[in-house]
Amino acid sequence: MSNTLISPSHLELFFERLSANFGQFLVLRGYEFLPVGYTNDIDVFVPKEDLPRFFECINNLDGIDSKLVILISRFGLIKCELLLNGVIIPFDVLYGFYYAGLEYQDCDQLSSNSKTHSCGLFSTPGISDEVRISLLKELLHNGRVRSDK
């Protein structure tokens, strides 16, 4: 895992256009440097019913060349690459939080507890939801909690 800040050109413009065209969405973690940069990947939560509109929005933003390419899709998660003016950005879209078919984070609660990021372009999870998601993801999916968590 890299902790190097990556600041592709047009990333801030991408978030501005996405926010204007789609509306609020939730960046789950790694949002400290957004909208101008990221360190590992970008993880967003979008309610399942909004997924078609979210993908349509990203793939048709005015004045910017953006496209989401799906790499892997599994229950609750769509691992993608965001192609942004020729730059590839790891971009995961989550619509649920599951392990062995059981939900470990209530999505309605996640949305209602979220707060608008200081940039005003997206929301971030409440601290209790962020900690729960991070720790349970590490424990359930990876069998351990990484030292950087």
Side-chain angles (χ1 to χ4, degrees):
M1 169 179 277
S2 170
N3 286 328
T4 304
L5 182 63
I6 303 165
S7 298
S9 63
H10 300 99
L11 186 61
E12 187 169 13
L13 179 60
F14 166 79
F15 276 102
E16 289 170 1
R17 297 279 166 83
L18 182 58
S19 177
N21 289 288
F22 181 77
Q24 282 290 327
F25 57 95
L26 211 144
V27 177
L28 292 169
R29 57 190 160 268
Y31 47 77
E32 295 81 9
F33 302 108
L34 289 174
V36 296
Y38 67 98
T39 56
N40 186 43
D41 64 358
I42 298 172
D43 297 323
V44 301
F45 167 77
V46 176
K48 186 177 182 178
E49 61 273 10
D50 288 339
L51 287 174
R53 190 171 66 86
F54 185 76
F55 275 79
E56 177 73 19
C57 244
I58 288 179
N59 291 332
N60 292 290
L61 292 176
D62 289 333
I64 192 165
D65 184 17
S66 62
K67 182 177 181 178
L68 273 179
V69 176
I70 297 173
L71 303 175
I72 298 169
S73 181
R74 61 179 184 249
F75 193 44
L77 169 68
I78 306 168
K79 293 189 83 51
C80 302
E81 287 179 339
L82 170 62
L83 305 178
L84 184 59
N85 287 352
V87 175
I88 298 172
I89 299 171
F91 196 97
D92 294 343
V93 180
L94 290 93
Y95 59 88
F97 303 87
Y98 303 97
Y99 180 74
L102 299 173
E103 184 177 48
Y104 60 86
Q105 171 65 49
D106 181 274
C107 294
D108 291 333
Q109 176 186 337
L110 176 66
S111 293
S112 67
N113 291 344
S114 69
K115 55 193 178 298
T116 303
H117 186 267
S118 60
C119 70
L121 300 176
F122 54 84
S123 296
T124 59
I127 189 67
S128 62
D129 293 321
E130 184 173 2
V131 169
R132 178 183 311 103
I133 291 167
S134 183
L135 291 177
L136 287 174
K137 178 206 164 272
E138 291 294 316
L139 286 171
L140 296 172
H141 295 280
N142 301 332
R144 64 181 177 84
V145 177
R146 293 188 333 246
S147 62
D148 64 327
K149 296 289 181 179

